[in-house]
């Protein structure tokens, strides 16, 4: 916790805020990347040519099912890019084009019909939060799950730094019905919360980061009273009461200790703020910390979703490295 203040200060430098003119003027909002907008739910923020190029490449990869899809994926990345996935025993990101090519080849070997479509996309300068609806067939089981791809772009729209957030628990639960789910019986109370429309400002990030690292469910929920919560394990549903949301977060913290999440990218656009938290935590019953991350979206850019959304991987909360290796063996 000693470095938390400095770390959160660093994220404020990363938080590129769209100006009011950019956020509200229809000319700015609709001029960027018009050809990609019919392919996704919404695009928010001013979209530069670099960001548009990335968005179109990402959409292409999500739709391609032919053998050249590996090349379509690698084309998204710069030659010296890094790719970090939370919930890995190794805390080091993949480095370079060949490592990224090998990783996507292995993934597509396990789930060859993997596909996705973009949903909400938020752009702040070189930073993009690309939300997606993912689908795949896992040993005959049709699965669907959300993901958030957080990237930093360079010239030509190439990704120089990427982080992927999605829930692998959805892959393996059909293969192992005994796989625990700590959120299976979380339910709402009787009376939905009432509160103002939630909006988080950059000057609140220090306190919010401290709340995550202090495992302070009350602080995290209290700030967003009235905001429905959608999160892994709720099977597409939402929690609308303080009781339900507290129960969910307390279940999360019951599964872990030594939470050390640092702020990553903060993206603020008209209607929503995305907050990235990444670092390590120690799952209950395990002896080694694992890399872990959460994308938190507060507010909504499309007008059709809940106002508070968490995206993270449940799998390392309930399975150690040996168990995860066993589960991947079932895919092979």
């Amino acid at each position: 916790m000693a470095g938390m203040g400095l770390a959160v200060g660093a994220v404020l430098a990363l938080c590129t805020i769209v100006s009011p003119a950019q956020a509200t003027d229809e000319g700015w909002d609709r001029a960027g990347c018009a050809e990609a907008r019919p392919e996704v739910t919404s695009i928010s923020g001013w979209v530069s040519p670099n960001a548009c190029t990335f968005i179109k490449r990402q959409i292409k990869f999500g739709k391609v099912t032919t053998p050249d899809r590996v090349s379509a994926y690698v084309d998204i990345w710069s030659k010296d890019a890094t790719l970090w996935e939370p919930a890995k025993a190794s805390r080091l990101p993949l480095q370079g084009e060949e490592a990224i090519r090998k990783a996507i080849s292995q993934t597509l070997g396990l789930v060859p019909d993997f596909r996705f479509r973009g949903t909400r996309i938020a752009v702040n300068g070189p930073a993009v939060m690309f939300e997606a609806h993912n689908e795949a067939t896992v040993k005959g089981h049709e699965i669907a799950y959300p993901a958030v791809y957080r990237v930093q772009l360079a010239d030509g729209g190439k990704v120089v730094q990427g982080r992927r957030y999605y829930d692998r628990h959805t892959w393996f639960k059909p293969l192992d019905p005994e796989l625990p789910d700590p959120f299976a019986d979380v339910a709402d109370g009787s009376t939905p919360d009432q509160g103002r429309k939630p909006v988080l400002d950059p000057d609140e990030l220090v306190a919010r980061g401290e709340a995550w690292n202090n495992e302070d469910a009350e602080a995290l929920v209290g700030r967003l009273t009235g905001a429905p919560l959608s999160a892994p394990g709720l099977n597409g549903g939402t929690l609308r009461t303080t009781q339900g949301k507290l129960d969910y977060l307390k279940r999360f913290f019951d599964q872990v200790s030594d939470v050390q999440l640092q702020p990553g990218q903060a993206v603020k656009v008209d209607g929503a703020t995305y907050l990235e938290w990444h670092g390590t935590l120690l799952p209950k019953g395990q002896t080694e910390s694992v890399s872990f991350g959460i994308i938190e979206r507060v507010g909504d850019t499309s007008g059709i979703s809940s106002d508070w959304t968490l995206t993270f991987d449940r799998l390392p909360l309930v399975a150690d490295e040996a168990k995860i290796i066993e589960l991947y063996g079932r895919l092979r």
Side-chain angles (χ1 to χ4, degrees), residues 4-24:
M4 191 64 195
L6 288 176
V8 175
V11 83
L12 299 182
L14 289 174
C15 183
T16 309
I17 306 300
V18 172
S19 71
Q22 290 174 332
T24 60

Side-chain angles (χ1 to χ4, degrees), residues 106-169:
Q106 290 173 340
T107 297
L108 294 177
L110 298 174
V111 282
D113 71 340
F114 169 76
R115 57 205 177 276
F116 69 85
R117 58 177 173 80
T119 55
R120 295 158 195 81
I121 302 170
V123 183
N124 275 177
V128 180
M129 295 283 185
F130 190 108
E131 293 191 61
H133 173 82
N134 291 4
E135 296 178 344
T137 305
V138 178
K139 291 294 184 179
H141 299 275
E142 297 290 333
I143 62 170
Y145 57 97
V148 182
Y149 305 106
R150 168 271 201 224
V151 302
Q152 286 276 345
L153 303 176
D155 290 345
K158 295 284 189 175
V159 175
V160 292
Q161 184 191 67
R163 295 185 179 133
R164 301 193 294 199
Y165 295 83
Y166 59 97
D167 184 17
R168 291 179 297 163
H169 192 280

Side-chain angles (χ1 to χ4, degrees), residues 261-285:
L261 299 178
Q262 303 296 324
Q265 184 68 52
V267 170
K268 185 176 177 64
V269 294
D270 188 29
T273 300
Y274 290 77
L275 307 176
E276 178 189 32
W277 309 101
H278 68 102
T280 63
L281 50 71
L282 179 63
K284 184 178 180 180

